[in-house]
Amino acid sequence: MTERRRDGVLREAEMGPVVPSAERLARGPVVIVECVENIPCNPCVAACPKGAIAIRGDINDTPVVDFETCDGCRVCISACPGLAIFAVDATGDPALVSIPYEFRPLPETGEIVTTLDREGAESGEGKVVRVLSAKALDRTPIVTIEVPKNLAMRVRHFRRKPDRGGTS
Amino acid sequence: MKEDVVICRCEDITYGEIVDAVRGGLTTTEEIKRILRCGMGPCQGRTCSRLIVRIISQETGVPVAEVRFPVVRPPSRPVEIGVMAAGGPPDGNPSGGEYDAD
Amino acid sequence: MRIREHPILEFERGREVEFDFDGRRLCGHEGETIAAALHASGVRVLRKSIRHGRPRGFFCAIGRCSSCLMTVDGVPNVMTCVTPLRRGMKVETQTGKGTLAAEAKGAGSIAGDGSGSDLGTVPLAIVGAGPAGLSAAVYAGRLGVESVVVDENEVPGGQLIKQTHMFFGSLEHYARVRGVDIGTQLCRELEKCPSKLLTGTTVLGLYTDDPPWKTLSLMKNGVRGELRARTVVLATGASENMLAFENCDLPGVYGAGAVQTLMNVYGVAPGERVLMVGAGNIGLIVGYQLLQAAVDVAAVIDAMDEIGGYHVHAAKIRRMGVPILTSHTILSAGGTDRVERATISRVDSDWQPVEGTERTIDVDTICLAVGLTPNCELASMAGCDDEYVPELGGLVSAHDADLETSVPGVFIAGDASGIEEASTAMLEGRLAGLAAVERLEVEVDREKLLAMKEEAASGLSELRAGPFGDRPRLGKERMLALAASRGGDR
Ligand SMILES: Cc1cc2nc3c(=O)[nH]c(=O)nc-3n(C[C@H](O)[C@H](O)[C@H](O)COP(=O)(O)OP(=O)(O)OC[C@H]3O[C@@H](n4cnc5c(N)ncnc54)[C@H](O)[C@@H]3O)c2cc1C
Ligand code: FES
């Protein structure tokens, strides 16, 4: 049994196929689909306008991203019922991480937030650069934050600072 | 488990009382229901039946799958006696279920 | 404790009304339940237990467990978790059993059209308006077969009305749609069908002593009625399992469904800080929903050595800092008349607490998500055989591949026929509805009927093909083998 089944934290060892190469990451934005279990689910496939996500066998297979076709457009993020899709743009430093965020109140652009990793541990600060909450996202807004490039593959959530009156 | 843990909420029957009953020879849910009244309250055993079956199994060594659950009788929900009286159930059994409303 | 801003839901609350609680004047919203209004005002103790005088709050919040009985306007034993609040009500903490005024009710009519208590006959009656029941009605309806769907809840949708998250599954079967919205969509489909929906109506009994007729005994607002049907689909869902531990009856120990009802139906936060017991999908999802309602989740614990639910659900709460402690159990709840703390400990591989690993955490709510048991009481009353199949959730009515029970013309579908998912419940409901139509021997396009059945059956196998489908698949296989070995002559 993997440690993940025991504590719910995805570790690098299991992330092989999920993560694009360093070269690809440096070339442009891309999505990271952190969906590693065989569960019956497929909306991400249809959500991608480029056809970059495939589920090869039956509906229980894990999605595979064609990193050459994916341009990190983020349309799939709000389509994932597991909120397991993130987008990373590591072409510069700071890098940009886009996160599905179903909490209220939403952060504001320019706000400094505390960034959290997959275990919920604080990993530093990030600046909110975009908040998408269009109707088409069906109540799963996407928040993009600037984080140090070396944390781009670690930051997966954030907490609003208490003095902003937010809750999470 | 502690003796005084409440297993049947409706009739306020504890773990200790059920264990004593099983050790005293009441090894089916029907017997326990008749003597201790668990399963006869307004919830009709919905909350406690599974727990009681587990206790019987643990005390007697009979696998859970073989301990019979109590027999289900209408009505499936508590009904006021007045409502029962106002219109008899189709099978003509005016008292219907075992929920007594005293 | 009312949730003011929610990322998914908007609460439509009725007008504010005053009511009386043990001589105190409190405010609530018309239409919400008495228990919800009391909870929103911080009242957790609703009654004193009958023998030991122990404080009790609500537990199931859907009228099943009797924990919430109070005296309302002088009438004792009122289930306050399902009774709507009205202005000026006099609500009292009940001590003991209460004495019942045996006043006869019985005015009005169930169908709401003055037809009296005899609702006549119908080819197909469906009990439960969850995903399974609604699908059964919709698919029978597509073949032109009339049905009546009965649900005790005022709002149709079953479990779906509390699910704020997007569902998994395939796009053709509502994946990525939020549970609440699936319910609404199914109801819209139903409107196009020759089907009648009776909400707020409980099925008290099912009698099959006059074949081929099945008689359903119904009750709405204290008025009783009778409906006769040629075929019946039982889609009654499941009930939550209870867990026994010290002080497990203390107010503040709630079932996960109760927490969802309070939070997602009435917009009342169950507490400030919650311990979730159970790391299956329900525990993980309700944990996340609590965070969405701005309630703190201290931890999610599970006695198993691994997380039972999907990783993605676990990951959502982990990254918000909620620990998931597998191989842990709850030993006790602490507090005088409400939960103030919980003591947990590690368990060994035999699920026995490991001494010296006890830990006490401050929480005001303990939420139990420790499994479901299929509701097959009506089937039992009708004389359907049952089988104990642990993979399906315990005692389940025996059924064949068409979901027909041992009583011809009585079908069982959805969680009632084995605990699974809404996606499978919809397909099972569909299959049962179609099989019922087949049983009816009415004039229908047979080829179309068989094709539709085949589609539903293959959809079910596909959904059960993954590792998480192992359990129900094995359960269903065992059930089919058991049913076949029993009733070879059918
Ligand atoms: C927290 C949580 C999260 C979930 N997430 C998912 C998910 O992501 N994807 C998924 O596919 N599934 C999910 N499920 C499971 C899904 O909700 C259930 O499997 C599904 O609702 C079962 O449908 P059903 O129609 O069999 O029963 P239900 O939805 O339970 O409906 C049964 C109905 O029958 C009525 N009823 C029962 N007895 C009577 C009676 N005697 N008289 C009248 N009416 C009666 C009840 O009022 C109820 O409305 C989740 C469940 C929970 C609790
Ligand atoms: S019956 Fe009301 S809480 Fe269970």
Side-chain angles (χ1 to χ4, degrees), chain B residues 23-84:
Chain B
R23 292 192 183 152
L26 306 180
T27 54
T28 66
T29 50
E30 282 295 323
E31 289 166 306
I32 292 185
K33 176 169 162 180
R34 296 221 144 74
I35 304 298
L36 290 181
R37 297 189 52 83
C38 16
M40 288 175 82
C43 99
Q44 290 285 288
R46 234 169 254 109
T47 325
C48 66
S49 283
R50 261 184 103 97
L51 297 172
I52 293 171
V53 165
R54 283 256 287 285
I55 298 171
I56 295 176
S57 166
Q58 156 207 313
E59 291 295 318
T60 60
V62 174
V64 169
E66 284 159 34
V67 180
R68 292 307 299 178
F69 280 78
V71 176
V72 186
R73 295 187 181 84
S76 63
R77 301 282 180 276
V79 176
E80 289 169 33
I81 291 294
V83 174
M84 278 292 176

Side-chain angles (χ1 to χ4, degrees), chain B residues 1-2 4-14 17 37 41-44 46-48 50-51 53-54 64-69 72-91 99-102, chain C residues 49-54 56 59 63-67 69 77 79 97-98 100 102-106 152 202-205 207 215 217 219 222 224 226 239 241-246 248-249 372-373 377-378 380-381 386 388 393-395:
Chain B
M1 186 161 356
K2 283 263 226 77
D4 60 358
V5 170
V6 173
I7 299 290
C8 163
R9 291 172 171 239
C10 302
E11 300 292 332
D12 237 6
I13 311 293
T14 63
E17 287 170 296
R37 297 189 52 83
C43 99
Q44 290 285 288
R46 234 169 254 109
T47 325
C48 66
R50 261 184 103 97
L51 297 172
V53 165
R54 283 256 287 285
V64 169
E66 284 159 34
V67 180
R68 292 307 299 178
F69 280 78
V72 186
R73 295 187 181 84
S76 63
R77 301 282 180 276
V79 176
E80 289 169 33
I81 291 294
V83 174
M84 278 292 176
D91 67 353
Y99 170 48
D100 62 343
D102 56 3
Chain C
S49 74
I50 60 172
R51 280 172 72 211
H52 306 300
R54 294 172 66 87
R56 292 279 164 77
F59 175 71
R64 299 281 166 87
C65 75
S66 84
S67 213
L69 302 183
N77 297 326
M79 273 188 184
K97 284 194 171 185
L100 195 77
E103 119 219 37
K105 295 192 183 169
E152 62 185 336
T202 303
V203 179
L204 295 175
Y207 309 85
T215 306
S217 144
M219 181 177 73
R224 299 201 37 222
E226 218 177 280
S239 301
N241 293 345
M242 177 63 198
L243 189 70
F245 52 89
E246 211 181 316
C248 59
D249 59 335
L372 302 166
T373 298
E377 307 142 327
L378 292 175
S380 304
M381 284 178 208
D386 48 32
Y388 187 86
L395 209 58

Side-chain angles (χ1 to χ4, degrees), chain A residues 111-144:
Chain A
E111 186 175 325
I112 303 296
V113 293
T114 304
T115 56
L116 304 172
D117 66 13
R118 292 185 186 84
E119 291 182 57
E122 296 182 4
S123 56
E125 287 188 338
K127 183 166 132 198
V128 175
V129 295
R130 190 169 330 154
V131 180
L132 293 178
S133 63
K135 203 156 186 269
L137 303 184
D138 187 24
R139 292 158 286 173
T140 304
I142 302 170
V143 176
T144 303

Side-chain angles (χ1 to χ4, degrees), chain C residues 143 441-445:
Chain C
L143 291 168
E441 293 167 354
V442 286
E443 236 4 86
V444 290
D445 181 342

Side-chain angles (χ1 to χ4, degrees), chain A residues 5 7 102 138-140, chain C residues 178 181 288 307 311 318:
Chain A
R5 292 298 308 153
D7 67 7
E102 295 180 330
D138 187 24
R139 292 158 286 173
T140 304
Chain C
R178 293 178 195 281
D181 303 333
Y288 180 71
I307 294 168
H311 167 70
R318 277 311 313 258

Side-chain angles (χ1 to χ4, degrees), chain C residues 265-323:
Chain C
V265 178
Y266 299 110
V268 176
E272 284 175 16
R273 195 168 142 86
V274 178
L275 171 70
M276 177 66 66
V277 182
N281 274 333
I282 295 185
L284 298 173
I285 290 171
V286 177
Y288 180 71
Q289 293 179 353
L290 281 160
L291 296 169
Q292 286 185 309
V295 177
D296 190 13
V297 180
V300 176
I301 65 169
D302 201 303
M304 296 218 296
D305 62 356
E306 62 174 337
I307 294 168
Y310 294 167
H311 167 70
V312 288
H313 287 314
K316 283 193 299 194
I317 60 173
R318 277 311 313 258
R319 62 184 184 246
M320 296 185 68
V322 176

